[in-house]
Amino acid sequence: MRKRNLLLLSNSTQHGAGYLEWAAQHIKEFLSKRGVSNLLFIPYALSDHDHYTEVAEKAFKKLGISVCGIHTLPNPVSAIMDAEAVMIGGGNTFRLLSKLYANKLIEPLRKRVLQEGVPYIGSSAGTNVSTMSICTTNDMPIVYPPSFDALQLVPFNINPHYIDPSPDTKHMGESRQDRIRQYHEEDQTYPVLGLREGCLLLVEGSTATIAGDSGAKLFRKDCEPVECPAGDVSYLLTDA
Amino acid sequence: MRKRNLLLLSNSTQHGAGYLEWAAQHIKEFLSKRGVSNLLFIPYALSDHDHYTEVAEKAFKKLGISVCGIHTLPNPVSAIMDAEAVMIGGGNTFRLLSKLYANKLIEPLRKRVLQEGVPYIGSSAGTNVSTMSICTTNDMPIVYPPSFDALQLVPFNINPHYIDPSPDTKHMGESRQDRIRQYHEEDQTYPVLGLREGCLLLVEGSTATIAGDSGAKLFRKDCEPVECPAGDVSYLLTDA
């Protein structure tokens, strides 16, 4: 059985609240249950790594957790191998994945999380890169990564910040649902879990649980989308 | 001087109107001025090429223009070499660009448009691929193309369906402006013209004109964005 321990957040900031505030209780429980007191923070999804790490540091200080930015350490691979727990923050998914490849962190992260059970927290882009591929990110493709294949810590894709179609909009860009349907028209795709803002997925070994008020929506090729309220969704892991 | 003749639409469908209806008068003038009566339609951005071509056929019939889908011809490169005029329709930009590369159409299209002056109409994804790169598309990266470099018919990027930040939204995903700013944080970027829905760019040789009521917004690295109402924007072509 996979040893993984994942806390995958749709979003970092909820309207009207501070960084990670909405998920603070979940994060605290997730880390304290595993005796974590130091977190390796990967700020690659934003351009200013120092500032981003400071923001994370402040948020985690309130939870009694100390934070170290991976960019401040001389060797990023060693940093992963030594980490007690890892968090990858949100920002641009293409930039983030490109940097993970450039620093040769894909395999070390997979090994640590899947084989050694190192706790992994992802938010937004950090959630995207934990899945099979970044093919269902909402971000602009500002950098060309060597592949869209991601960390593959779970056997499906996630669409973070999932938002339902708005019947009132006059904007003619595709709805999120339309975009995910277009993804499933392609060959070799994965199920897509649309995590609404304020929703998170907790994965412990072969158990997966949705938490948060807003719930998720599951999209599978050639199927009608299905609502997933808070609760057990371990069936999503059966291909693992 | 470049011989190019480009009509680049932000969007195909305007709220409440039929396919291409909002731009019909512009399209009619653009093609009739150049004596075009047959259009080669490239439907690669959507999965159902036959249906998409039928939709285009109906819209152009009203303008007295006949349409042929490139997928119905035995050799797509020959189709480009023989075309009187070309239109690339909207849909998913990654799928479209991948198919242009797979069918080896990048260089033939560049040659025909830039050296031989074959009229080119692009809409949405078809506008994205006419620019330097697809790095400022809004689409989901459902397919991995061999490069983000596009047809480079103009020396800048376009963001179609450009939409201003909404002060009322509670959704925490980045605004379009935030996304373009993130693009400009990277190395080797281009200016980005955000074309609002109902806006188009006409390029004739070294003259560029914005038309439509909604106007555009120009984003340059390290500069404040600038409004571009309908009118001359030939300065955008000076790097060509």
Side-chain angles (χ1 to χ4, degrees):
Chain A
M1 193 190 297
R2 303 286 197 181
K3 283 193 174 173
R4 68 194 151 195
N5 292 289
L6 317 175
L7 189 70
L8 305 177
L9 314 180
S10 170
N11 52 312
S12 307
T13 313
Q14 194 79 334
H15 185 70
Y19 183 72
L20 295 179
E21 224 170 76
W22 74 271
Q25 199 49 42
H26 291 283
I27 293 172
K28 196 174 176 176
E29 270 176 35
F30 178 76
L31 293 177
S32 69
K33 189 175 168 183
R34 291 160 180 93
V36 172
S37 54
N38 299 294
L39 189 68
L40 181 71
F41 185 68
I42 303 186
Y44 294 161
L46 290 186
S47 61
D48 188 339
H49 298 168
D50 284 337
H51 179 255
Y52 197 8
T53 303
E54 268 171 44
V55 171
E57 225 165 2
K58 272 188 204 162
F60 280 96
K61 199 175 176 184
K62 292 182 194 161
L63 311 179
I65 307 286
S66 75
V67 162
C68 174
I70 193 170
H71 65 292
T72 64
L73 299 172
N75 183 330
V77 173
S78 307
I80 298 291
M81 297 319 283
D82 297 339
E84 217 182 293
V86 171
M87 169 155 182
I88 305 191
N92 185 283
T93 307
F94 294 87
R95 177 191 276 160
L96 166 59
L97 187 63
S98 297
K99 191 91 175 166
L100 291 178
Y101 274 107
N103 286 354
K104 303 196 190 318
L105 297 185
I106 302 287
E107 282 314 313
L109 273 166
R110 281 178 55 80
K111 179 167 184 275
R112 292 288 281 153
V113 175
L114 292 179
Q115 292 173 31
E116 299 171 21
V118 167
Y120 176 103
I121 303 176
S123 177
S124 193
T127 288
N128 264 133
V129 298
S130 75
T131 70
M132 292 305 289
S133 82
I134 65 161
C135 287
T136 53
T137 174
N138 309 308
D139 294 342
M140 215 173 236
I142 62 175
V143 188
Y144 185 69
S147 166
F148 286 166
D149 290 345
L151 290 168
Q152 311 196 332
L153 307 179
V154 291
F156 51 89
N157 270 14
I158 286 178
N159 177 252
H161 300 272
Y162 179 75
I163 186 162
D164 295 289
S166 159
D168 302 328
T169 185
K170 291 184 175 170
H171 189 72
M172 299 302 288
E174 292 89 347
S175 71
R176 196 64 62 80
Q177 190 160 317
D178 291 339
R179 293 168 191 272
I180 297 171
R181 193 184 301 122
Q182 287 186 339
Y183 167 68
H184 279 141
E185 288 168 354
E186 296 297 316
D187 300 332
Q188 293 185 304
T189 60
Y190 305 102
V192 179
L193 188 64
L195 288 183
R196 293 189 183 88
E197 293 189 351
C199 179
L200 63 84
L201 182 71
L202 174 66
V203 180
E204 297 174 291
S206 51
T207 301
T209 315
I210 287 176
D213 297 335
S214 50
K217 202 162 182 175
L218 178 63
F219 300 85
R220 289 177 190 270
K221 196 182 175 94
D222 301 326
C223 296
E224 282 298 305
V226 177
E227 274 299 327
C228 301
D232 186 85
V233 286
S234 302
Y235 59 88
L236 287 175
L237 301 173
T238 48
D239 302 333
Chain B
M1 191 189 298
R2 303 286 198 181
K3 283 194 173 172
R4 67 195 153 194
N5 292 287
L6 316 175
L7 189 70
L8 305 177
L9 314 180
S10 169
N11 53 312
S12 307
T13 311
Q14 194 79 333
H15 185 71
Y19 183 72
L20 295 179
E21 225 170 76
W22 75 271
Q25 198 51 43
H26 291 284
I27 293 171
K28 196 174 176 175
E29 270 175 36
F30 178 76
L31 293 177
S32 68
K33 189 174 167 185
R34 290 157 181 95
V36 173
S37 54
N38 300 292
L39 190 67
L40 182 69
F41 184 69
I42 302 185
Y44 295 160
L46 291 185
S47 62
D48 187 339
H49 298 169
D50 284 337
H51 178 255
Y52 197 9
T53 303
E54 268 171 44
V55 169
E57 224 165 3
K58 272 187 203 161
F60 280 98
K61 199 175 174 183
K62 292 182 194 161
L63 311 179
I65 306 285
S66 74
V67 162
C68 175
I70 194 170
H71 64 293
T72 64
L73 298 172
N75 183 330
V77 174
S78 306
I80 298 292
M81 298 318 285
D82 296 340
E84 217 181 292
V86 171
M87 168 155 184
I88 305 192
N92 184 284
T93 307
F94 295 87
R95 177 191 275 160
L96 166 60
L97 187 63
S98 298
K99 190 90 175 170
L100 292 178
Y101 274 107
N103 287 352
K104 303 192 190 318
L105 297 185
I106 302 288
E107 282 313 314
L109 273 166
R110 281 179 55 79
K111 180 169 184 274
R112 292 288 282 153
V113 175
L114 292 178
Q115 293 174 31
E116 299 172 22
V118 167
Y120 176 103
I121 303 175
S123 177
S124 193
T127 288
N128 265 132
V129 298
S130 76
T131 70
M132 291 305 288
S133 81
I134 64 162
C135 288
T136 54
T137 174
N138 309 308
D139 294 342
M140 214 173 237
I142 62 174
V143 188
Y144 185 69
S147 166
F148 287 166
D149 291 345
L151 290 167
Q152 312 195 332
L153 307 178
V154 291
F156 51 89
N157 270 13
I158 287 178
N159 177 251
H161 300 272
Y162 178 75
I163 187 161
D164 295 289
S166 160
D168 302 327
T169 186
K170 292 185 175 169
H171 189 74
M172 299 301 289
E174 293 89 347
S175 72
R176 195 66 60 79
Q177 191 160 315
D178 290 338
R179 293 166 192 273
I180 296 171
R181 193 183 303 123
Q182 287 187 339
Y183 167 68
H184 279 141
E185 287 168 356
E186 297 296 317
D187 299 331
Q188 292 185 305
T189 61
Y190 306 101
V192 179
L193 188 64
L195 288 183
R196 293 190 183 87
E197 293 190 350
C199 179
L200 62 84
L201 182 72
L202 174 67
V203 180
E204 297 172 292
S206 51
T207 301
T209 315
I210 287 175
D213 296 335
S214 50
K217 203 162 181 174
L218 178 64
F219 301 85
R220 290 177 189 271
K221 196 181 176 94
D222 301 325
C223 296
E224 282 298 303
V226 177
E227 275 298 327
C228 301
D232 185 85
V233 286
S234 303
Y235 59 88
L236 287 175
L237 302 172
T238 48
D239 302 333

